[in-house]
Amino acid sequence: DGHVFKAKNIVSSAGIVTTYTTLLPEATVIKHKLNKQLQQVKPSVAHVSLYLGLEGTPEALQIPKTNQWIYPAEGDHDTCVDNYLNDLSQPFPVVYISFPCAKDPDWSNRYPGKSSIDIITLIPYETFEKWSDTSWKKRGDDYEAIKENITNRLLTELYKQLPQVEGKIVHQELSTPLTTKHFVNYQTGEIYGLDHTPSRFRQPFLKPRTPIKNFYLTGQDIVTAGVAGALFSGVLTSIAITGKNILSKV
Ligand SMILES: Cc1cc2nc3c(=O)[nH]c(=O)nc-3n(C[C@H](O)[C@H](O)[C@H](O)COP(=O)(O)OP(=O)(O)OC[C@H]3O[C@@H](n4cnc5c(N)ncnc54)[C@H](O)[C@@H]3O)c2cc1C
């Protein structure tokens, strides 16, 4: 809205691709050859996530605290991924089921008599790309039909693991890569920022310090994906800015 905020040090945690392609002036990007850096890395895989609300406490529904990672009974992982990416009707190569309600000791005080479950699998961004110009919640019947199909397949996987929750779901919503793009600005709906290839971990520019004086990066892209990686990136960026080894304190 025209306000200008000035600071001695600026830190971006929006991800290196978003930062360099949308937040910095183009002239700055060219001057420091930041676009060349981006050519060395790729976005991680896109995902869908099914968010479920259930009637009943985690205890009553016997909801576990551990995450579940479900793989097909047959075939090595890379082959299963390839088969699925070539033909999305093939079995999901991985399904991740998580139970946020059961991990939160304060959950039942805030949401008595309710539970929540997330179910995630991978999906190529291209599956939904043709709706990228539509807006959230108004993407049309064909888009909703694909969502419904994936939702039902994920629910089937859930009921295999937790048959007791069938009939207890009172709310369900599937996010697609376009949802991730809309809400967190990851341009291809990627789940984990940059792709986790061996080459990515050899890139010297994925670190707190950038070629721009007093401009720093933090977040999963400079360490590794996940909450722990993102948290630790904050420690590293703090060290880079202050020049103090705060690691022993942490
Ligand atoms: C569905 C899902 C489930 C996950 N489950 C787990 C899990 O169980 N355990 C685990 O360890 N990790 C999990 N992860 C990964 C984990 O969430 C990420 O690795 C972590 O959140 C990355 O933190 P970050 O701060 O680097 O980036 P983010 O959390 O992505 O934060 C980046 C922020 O930048 C903001 N932003 C983007 N563009 C702009 C802009 N132009 N201006 C201002 N702000 C902007 C975004 O809105 C966002 O808030 C999951 C990820 C997803 C998507």
Side-chain angles (χ1 to χ4, degrees):
D1 63 0
H3 277 83
V4 174
F5 297 91
K6 297 198 177 212
K8 181 173 173 227
N9 296 302
I10 311 241
V11 182
S12 174
S13 67
I16 189 168
V17 178
T18 296
T19 301
Y20 288 177
T21 57
T22 67
L23 293 176
L24 293 182
E26 204 182 340
T28 307
V29 171
I30 292 167
K31 179 177 168 199
H32 294 287
K33 301 192 173 77
L34 303 176
N35 41 350
K36 295 242 159 62
Q37 294 185 2
L38 294 185
Q39 287 164 8
Q40 309 299 315
V41 286
K42 286 191 311 187
S44 59
V45 69
H47 68 283
V48 283
S49 181
L50 179 61
Y51 298 91
L52 300 174
L54 299 94
E55 210 58 66
T57 63
E59 294 77 21
L61 296 176
Q62 297 169 279
I63 289 185
K65 288 189 166 70
T66 50
N67 300 329
Q68 297 186 348
W69 293 87
I70 322 290
Y71 297 90
E74 309 261 313
D76 70 88
H77 182 61
D78 290 344
T79 306
C80 292
V81 171
D82 287 345
N83 290 345
Y84 171 75
L85 292 180
N86 288 331
D87 172 6
L88 295 180
S89 70
Q90 293 294 307
F92 294 128
V94 58
V95 174
Y96 166 86
I97 311 181
S98 175
F99 310 95
C101 61
K103 296 175 195 169
D104 178 354
D106 195 41
W107 171 270
S108 285
N109 295 329
R110 288 178 296 132
Y111 307 105
K114 297 187 189 316
S115 294
S116 65
I117 299 178
D118 301 349
I119 313 177
I120 300 172
T121 194
L122 60 106
I123 196 97
Y125 174 74
E126 292 71 29
T127 309
F128 295 98
E129 190 175 18
K130 68 174 171 178
W131 291 280
S132 59
D133 291 334
T134 59
S135 38
W136 182 54
K137 295 271 190 192
K138 292 180 195 143
R139 303 198 197 274
D141 292 344
D142 292 352
Y143 175 84
E144 293 300 330
I146 299 180
K147 277 180 53 168
E148 192 181 337
N149 174 278
I150 297 170
T151 298
N152 291 336
R153 289 178 64 190
L154 291 174
L155 287 175
T156 303
E157 296 300 327
L158 173 69
Y159 298 147
K160 279 187 209 159
Q161 307 301 323
L162 269 74
Q164 70 275 20
V165 303
E166 194 162 358
K168 305 289 183 189
I169 295 167
V170 290
H171 178 80
Q172 62 189 53
E173 178 75 43
L174 186 89
S175 77
T176 75
L178 296 184
T179 323
T180 306
K181 184 175 178 175
H182 175 83
F183 283 103
V184 269
N185 214 10
Y186 288 109
Q187 290 305 300
T188 53
E190 55 267 36
I191 185 167
Y192 286 142
L194 296 177
D195 202 12
H196 282 53
T197 58
S199 146
R200 167 241 166 103
F201 289 102
R202 284 195 288 266
Q203 299 305 329
F205 54 85
L206 296 177
K207 60 181 181 186
R209 228 175 264 285
T210 72
I212 305 163
K213 197 172 168 231
N214 295 348
F215 182 70
Y216 298 88
L217 299 173
T218 200
Q220 60 189 347
D221 286 351
I222 64 156
V223 181
T224 185
V227 173
L231 274 174
F232 196 71
S233 73
V235 177
L236 293 185
T237 303
S238 303
I239 292 172
I241 293 173
T242 62
K244 291 184 184 147
N245 185 359
I246 57 168
L247 196 53
S248 51
K249 257 192 195 167
V250 171

